């Protein structure tokens, strides 16, 4: 009987444990989580902080007790793996004041990512908050509830989402981003500008191209200092990104890749025999470029967990083919989506590109409730292959557009392929000329 130990109870870890159990009912599967929750959704934290989700405990799909009973998987919560010996095949766990050695035949490391804390003077002050685990929601709410003015440092996904939450809580919101646009890793400047205008209209005080250089206060932060000025604040949310939590993998002897995440092959195997890594801790392969990337997203983590867990008990029966980096977020009713390469990313990688940014409607012009949607397509100039796209609009349908584009990008579609795609139509769901089709036609430069 094989014993599979999975470290980390989030998307990748829980998925790996469940898949291992399903494929080998005789295996002994142990899931170890340092927090109190498993199958948790950190992506839902802003909505729990804002009260849209009533309790942070609702961010669990299964309680530890349900998972253990229904899946026949032993679950250890509030338990930290502090060491691993890959030669002896044991992990050392710490719970409370006691330590225990647990043997394994196969080990899956799914420790996820942790907030990036920049080396800024004063960053250790109280009131400077980071977001990682749903367990932290009550603590974060306790800080935010008392504040009148909150600074967000970082204009990525978490920064944008938290700006909405804080405004809805009645806070004055200052957002600082060192680059001259919001969502700098996700969007091109022209599309990001649409998002920025909506944020300013809603009341966010945007400070773009303004780098934070210091936090000041006596024990508790009360001032943010940038290259351009000083600002009084009550609390600060650090949202400058995350990095893979590779400490345990390094202890196991696993090689790190060029991105700083754990190097894995298509079977989610690390360079250490019988040790797998999945989720935000692991590198991915980009399906457009073939290059190694690190894109930490929950849907990817779930799939990688399936691959790692299945291979741990059935030996290379599943492969993970890679990602194209599809992501969706929102600011109030403005939905923001992207997939594949941005125009600036493509240029940096040496692609000669052409692009088109069009404005269309989500429904036929005579139907009520239509919204404006902006679609940007990026293609390789020489081949017409679609490299990526970005969509912004005040309708959840934006996410569906991105999903169609994601399949087109990973399938190697050209602009012509997308134009002739048999996308569905009825007046209340799309114009007869679907916005994606229109974007492809414009990008064809008169060829279609």
């Amino acid at each position: 009987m094989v014993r599979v130990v999975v470290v980390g109870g989030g998307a990748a870890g829980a998925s790996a444990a469940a898949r291992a159990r399903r494929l080998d009912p005789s295996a002994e599967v142990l899931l170890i989580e340092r927090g109190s929750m498993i199958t948790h959704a950190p992506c839902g934290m802003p909505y729990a902080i804002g009260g849209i989700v009533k309790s942070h405990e609702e961010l669990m799909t299964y309680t530890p007790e349900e998972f253990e009973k229904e899946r026949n998987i032993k679950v250890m919560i509030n338990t930290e793996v502090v060491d691993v010996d890959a030669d002896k095949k044991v992990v050392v766990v710490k719970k409370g004041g006691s330590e225990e050695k647990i043997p394994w035949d196969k080990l899956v490391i799914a420790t996820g990512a942790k907030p990036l804390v920049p080396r800024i003077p004063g960053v250790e002050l109280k009131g400077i908050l980071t977001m990682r685990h749903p367990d932290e929601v009550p603590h974060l709410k306790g800080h935010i509830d008392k504040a009148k003015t909150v600074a967000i440092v970082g204009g990525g996904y978490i920064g944008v989402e938290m700006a909405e939450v804080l405004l809805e809580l009645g806070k004055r919101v200052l957002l600082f981003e060192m680059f001259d646009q919001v969502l700098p890793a996700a969007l091109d400047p022209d599309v990001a500008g649409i998002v920025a205008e909506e944020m300013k209209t809603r009341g966010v005080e945007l400070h773009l191209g303004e780098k934070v250089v210091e936090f000041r206060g006596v024990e508790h932060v009360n001032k943010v200092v940038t290259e351009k000025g000083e600002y009084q604040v009550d609390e600060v949310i650090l949202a400058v990104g995350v990095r893979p939590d590779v400490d345990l993998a390094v202890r196991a002897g696993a090689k790190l890749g060029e991105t700083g995440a754990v190097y894995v092959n298509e079977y989610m195997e690390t360079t250490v025999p019988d040790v797998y890594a999945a989720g935000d801790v692991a590198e991915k392969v980009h399906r457009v470029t073939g290059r190694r990337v690190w894109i930490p997203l929950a849907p990817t983590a779930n799939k990688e967990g399936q691959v790692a867990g299945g291979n741990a008990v059935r030996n290379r029966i599943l492969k993970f083919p890679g990602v194209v980096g599809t992501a969706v977020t929102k600011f109030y009713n403005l939905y923001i989506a992207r997939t594949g390469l941005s125009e600036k990313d493509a240029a940096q990688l040496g692609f000669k590109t052409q692009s088109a940014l069009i404005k269309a409607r989500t429904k036929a012009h005579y139907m009520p409730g239509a919204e404006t949607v902006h679609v940007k397509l990026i293609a390789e100039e020489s081949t017409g292959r679609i490299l990526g796209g970005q969509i912004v609009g005040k309708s959840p349908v934006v996410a569906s557009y991105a999903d169609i584009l994601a399949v087109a990008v990973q399938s190697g579609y050209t602009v012509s392929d997308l134009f002739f795609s048999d996308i569905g139509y009825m007046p209340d769901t799309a114009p007869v000329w679907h916005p994606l089709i229109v974007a492809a036609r414009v990008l064809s430069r008169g060829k279609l």
Side-chain angles (χ1 to χ4, degrees), residues 155-162 183 185-186 297 325-329 336 338:
Y157 296 119
I158 293 296
V160 169
E161 291 167 3
M162 281 304 300
L183 297 165
L297 294 169
T326 308
V328 184
T329 189
I336 307 151
R338 56 97 61 215

Side-chain angles (χ1 to χ4, degrees), residues 281-344:
V281 74
E283 276 189 340
K284 336 292 178 188
V285 172
H286 202 290
R287 294 176 72 165
V288 174
T289 67
R291 296 169 66 97
R292 290 192 164 267
V293 294
W294 186 64
I295 303 175
L297 294 169
T300 301
N302 271 313
K303 294 165 193 168
E304 289 180 330
Q306 291 272 311
V307 173
N311 291 338
V313 294
R314 285 288 181 256
N315 192 27
R316 293 192 168 185
I317 63 165
L318 295 170
K319 295 180 181 180
F320 183 72
V323 299
V324 292
T326 308
V328 184
T329 189
K330 65 180 280 290
F331 178 76
Y332 283 90
N333 63 340
L334 183 69
Y335 290 82
I336 307 151
R338 56 97 61 215
T339 191
L341 302 179
S342 67
E343 193 170 20
K344 58 184 177 182

Side-chain angles (χ1 to χ4, degrees), residues 104-158:
W104 49 269
D105 298 305
K106 305 285 184 176
L107 178 66
V108 179
I109 298 174
T111 45
K114 53 187 176 183
L116 183 62
V117 179
R119 295 180 179 178
I120 298 174
V123 76
E124 73 286 346
L125 289 168
K126 293 179 181 178
I128 298 179
L129 311 171
T130 58
M131 297 171 58
R132 179 183 185 184
H133 196 288
D135 273 340
E136 302 166 348
V137 168
H139 168 75
L140 294 169
K141 281 178 63 70
H143 276 268
I144 291 169
D145 286 348
K146 299 173 185 176
K148 291 183 179 180
T149 300
V150 181
I152 300 171
V153 181
Y157 296 119
I158 293 296

Side-chain angles (χ1 to χ4, degrees), residues 343-397:
E343 193 170 20
K344 58 184 177 182
D345 288 341
Q348 289 173 356
L349 291 168
F351 287 96
K352 191 172 182 181
T353 64
Q354 56 186 25
S355 68
L357 175 61
I358 64 106
K359 183 169 73 172
R361 293 168 61 87
T362 57
K363 299 181 181 184
H365 71 276
Y366 48 82
M367 293 299 295
E371 297 287 355
T372 298
V373 63
H374 300 264
V375 177
K376 180 173 184 175
L377 286 183
I378 301 104
E380 186 175 27
E381 190 174 75
S382 59
T383 65
R385 180 187 177 187
I386 298 172
L387 301 176
Q390 297 155 42
I391 310 102
V392 175
K394 293 186 176 181
S395 169
V397 77

Side-chain angles (χ1 to χ4, degrees), residues 73-231:
I73 293 168
K74 184 179 179 182
V75 178
M76 298 176 68
I77 58 172
N78 299 313
T79 304
E80 184 177 6
V81 178
V82 294
D83 202 3
V84 57
D85 188 325
D87 294 326
K88 296 180 179 179
K89 289 192 171 183
V90 296
V91 292
V92 180
V93 302
K94 185 176 182 180
K95 185 170 186 177
S98 62
E99 289 189 354
E100 176 187 358
K101 290 184 178 180
I102 298 176
W104 49 269
D105 298 305
K106 305 285 184 176
L107 178 66
V108 179
I109 298 174
T111 45
K114 53 187 176 183
L116 183 62
V117 179
R119 295 180 179 178
I120 298 174
V123 76
E124 73 286 346
L125 289 168
K126 293 179 181 178
I128 298 179
L129 311 171
T130 58
M131 297 171 58
R132 179 183 185 184
H133 196 288
D135 273 340
E136 302 166 348
V137 168
H139 168 75
L140 294 169
K141 281 178 63 70
H143 276 268
I144 291 169
D145 286 348
K146 299 173 185 176
K148 291 183 179 180
T149 300
V150 181
I152 300 171
V153 181
Y157 296 119
I158 293 296
V160 169
E161 291 167 3
M162 281 304 300
E164 174 189 345
V165 167
L166 293 168
L167 286 176
E168 284 296 286
L169 290 173
K171 313 301 180 184
R172 180 188 173 205
V173 181
L174 291 76
L175 188 147
F176 299 92
E177 170 55 57
M178 64 184 291
F179 293 102
D180 58 4
Q181 67 168 86
V182 295
L183 297 165
L187 303 180
D188 286 314
D190 48 3
V191 180
I194 300 169
V195 180
E197 283 304 312
E198 181 68 15
M199 294 181 74
K200 287 188 286 187
T201 299
R202 290 283 188 170
V204 179
E205 298 177 35
L206 283 182
H207 296 268
L208 303 178
E210 190 165 348
K211 184 178 180 180
V212 174
V213 296
E214 186 181 0
F215 299 110
R216 292 179 186 167
V218 179
E219 293 190 0
H220 194 285
V221 67
N222 60 29
K223 186 176 289 187
V224 173
V225 182
T226 74
E227 293 174 326
K228 298 180 180 180
E230 299 181 2
Y231 306 86

